[in-house]
Amino acid sequence: MKSTAGTECDTNGPSGGPAFDWDPRSEAVLNDQFQAYDHMRKTCPVAHSDYLGWSLFRHEDVLKALMDHETFSNAASRHPSVPNGMDPPQHTPYRRMIETYFTAERVDAFEPECRAIARELVAGLQKGHSTEIISEFADPYAVRIQCAFLGWPASLHGPLRQWVRKNQEATLARNTEAMAAIALEFDGYIRGQLNEREHAGSAAPDDITTSLLRQTVDGKPLDHDAIVSILRNWTVGELGTIAACVGIVADFLADRPELQAELRRDIGRLLPAIDEILRLHAPLISNRRVATKPVEIGGRRIAAGERITLIWASANRDEAAFDDAREFRLDRDPSQNLLYGAGIHVCPGAALARMELRVVMEELLARTDHIAPIPGGGVRAIYPASGFASLPLRIS
């Protein structure tokens, strides 16, 4: 049976049925990703496509893959990825080292700088006029806080914003040559920072980037390739995802003045509100795995070596995991929310991201009276991005 997202799947799998169950890049899917993923979750919850391999749409199946890292490996990329693309035992010492950069003490110490950046950006918004919240607020905030966190100069703000856009375009097009060139471009920015710090020696700034140059794993110093991979993972995730989150939350509040008013009165409810908003509208659409051995999931047989895509944007809207799944509610069990993943690869920077989002929205709500939508103004981002490519809002 044809649908806007694909076909109802054949439980015999691609070898005994159609070659592909759906097309993730079809116009119907890209026009409304969340509706398409909701449909797939109900009609073909484990679906095959040429673009994504096997896609898992149900919360139960995604959680199973997250918790079974021996069957569903994170080593899904052809390129080294430290430690995201590693499995135990290789993953364990790198993960242990990385977690030291996201302790509660580090997050608390960084909060005043985040707040100063957010406050400055809010002050620069034109009140009473249409404001392009992505390019004028969300993107600059994401770039500035990431550079501040890592100790990178302001001269990288512009190049990094351009790099994120180029990377998203090349990923969507599956243009491997462009993706390779873009990766090298980003590596060049990082290597430049590493070379400057090595040249400075003991006079190098006391920041996270310098600290990584002095780190060891299993008694061996990190080489530049490993540091570049770590910083690439941190920065790509931070820039695209934080900016998307800011746009998603601002749009949600703009459409709900009563919720805005409630949060202005009781700002302590802001953090769970943000998590719930981002459960409904995922800032990160999907993540990859690869099967290490034959496995059956959702009635489909997946062979060893096949690619698997975890569709966060569907799993967190699963009616089997959340009562009234499409409704905004502040009384949900937060442990079911897969916003930051689960298992050994759960996002190490979750506490940092939560603080950054809380702070920027606290400042936006505290220093404005009203956030209102511009009818027909927003343009949704398309896969692999989420959120909004542009989002005009009226700030007063």
Side-chain angles (χ1 to χ4, degrees):
M1 180 187 299
K2 290 287 183 181
S3 73
T4 58
T7 63
E8 290 189 4
C9 50
D10 182 339
T11 54
N12 289 323
S15 60
F20 306 116
D21 298 309
W22 72 309
D23 180 2
R25 293 180 293 173
S26 70
E27 184 177 352
V29 171
L30 296 181
N31 280 345
D32 192 335
Q33 293 184 80
F34 294 94
Q35 180 180 354
Y37 301 152
D38 288 343
H39 175 85
M40 293 301 296
R41 187 175 61 251
K42 295 173 181 176
T43 62
C44 188
V46 180
H48 194 256
S49 70
D50 63 336
Y51 184 51
L52 297 179
W54 291 98
S55 294
L56 308 185
F57 292 93
R58 292 188 302 204
H59 188 281
E60 175 187 1
D61 296 334
V62 169
L63 187 60
K64 177 180 178 180
L66 292 174
M67 303 309 291
D68 183 3
H69 58 267
E70 293 182 355
T71 303
F72 301 92
S73 168
N74 251 47
S77 173
R78 292 176 298 173
H79 307 289
S81 181
V82 182
N84 305 41
M86 295 175 169
D87 297 315
Q90 185 185 25
H91 167 266
T92 306
Y94 285 96
R95 173 72 186 215
R96 188 181 301 121
M97 178 271 293
I98 279 172
E99 287 176 343
T100 65
Y101 292 98
F102 299 101
T103 62
E105 293 76 16
R106 278 189 181 269
V107 171
D108 290 345
F110 187 51
E111 181 171 333
E113 192 161 5
C114 281
R115 193 171 296 280
I117 292 169
R119 189 169 295 173
E120 180 184 334
L121 289 169
V122 173
L125 297 176
Q126 284 198 334
K127 306 301 193 315
H129 299 279
S130 175
T131 296
E132 213 310 290
I133 206 75
I134 302 300
S135 63
E136 296 178 22
F137 187 67
D139 283 349
Y141 178 69
V143 168
R144 289 180 61 178
I145 60 173
Q146 181 64 359
C147 286
F149 183 67
L150 297 177
W152 294 358
S155 59
L156 282 179
H157 292 173
L160 286 176
R161 288 177 63 181
Q162 294 175 9
W163 183 88
V164 170
R165 285 194 292 272
K166 289 188 290 186
N167 187 54
Q168 289 173 344
E169 291 168 0
T171 302
L172 175 63
R174 295 186 74 183
N175 186 334
T176 53
E177 290 185 5
M179 289 167 68
I182 291 165
L184 285 175
E185 177 186 338
F186 185 82
D187 290 0
Y189 298 139
I190 300 176
R191 292 183 191 279
Q193 294 301 307
L194 299 180
N195 291 337
E196 287 181 13
R197 285 161 173 76
E198 286 192 329
H199 181 72
S202 60
D206 183 18
D207 56 31
I208 285 178
T209 304
T210 299
S211 175
L212 285 170
L213 281 167
R214 298 167 181 167
Q215 275 286 1
T216 60
V217 171
D218 290 336
K220 299 178 182 178
L222 287 177
D223 60 28
H224 278 206
D225 287 344
I227 298 173
V228 167
S229 180
I230 291 167
L231 291 175
R232 186 194 307 118
N233 286 329
W234 287 359
T235 305
V236 173
E238 181 81 357
L239 298 186
T241 308
I242 290 293
C245 288
V246 173
I248 290 165
V249 175
D251 173 74
F252 193 91
L253 296 181
D255 282 334
R256 294 162 180 80
E258 71 289 346
L259 179 59
Q260 266 190 69
E262 178 184 348
L263 294 177
R264 291 176 200 274
R265 289 192 304 267
D266 184 3
I267 203 66
R269 306 193 78 184
L270 179 61
L271 191 54
I274 290 172
D275 278 4
E276 174 68 353
I277 292 167
L278 299 177
R279 180 192 67 79
L280 288 164
H281 186 157
L284 180 65
I285 296 293
S286 64
N287 196 243
R288 295 182 295 172
R289 296 290 191 273
V290 63
T292 61
K293 56 188 176 184
V295 62
E296 181 172 313
I297 188 165
R300 309 300 296 269
R301 294 191 294 274
I302 299 174
E306 290 197 274
R307 295 177 299 129
I308 300 162
T309 304
L310 313 182
I311 308 291
W312 310 111
S314 171
N316 258 353
R317 292 162 59 91
D318 190 342
E319 298 82 355
F322 303 95
D323 293 334
D324 303 317
R326 299 194 199 184
E327 297 298 319
F328 173 86
R329 286 175 41 180
L330 288 175
D331 61 347
R332 298 191 186 278
D333 178 0
S335 68
Q336 295 300 305
N337 192 334
L338 298 178
L339 176 60
Y340 295 99
I344 65 167
H345 294 289
V346 67
C347 177
L352 176 66
R354 283 192 168 102
M355 179 277 288
E356 292 167 343
L357 293 173
R358 172 180 57 80
V359 163
V360 72
M361 296 312 301
E362 282 177 353
E363 291 298 317
L364 185 60
L365 290 172
R367 299 177 185 281
T368 62
D369 296 319
H370 193 57
I371 306 166
I374 304 293
V379 176
R380 289 285 184 100
I382 59 173
Y383 188 90
S386 185
F388 296 87
S390 65
L391 180 64
L393 297 175
R394 188 175 300 278
I395 310 292
S396 59

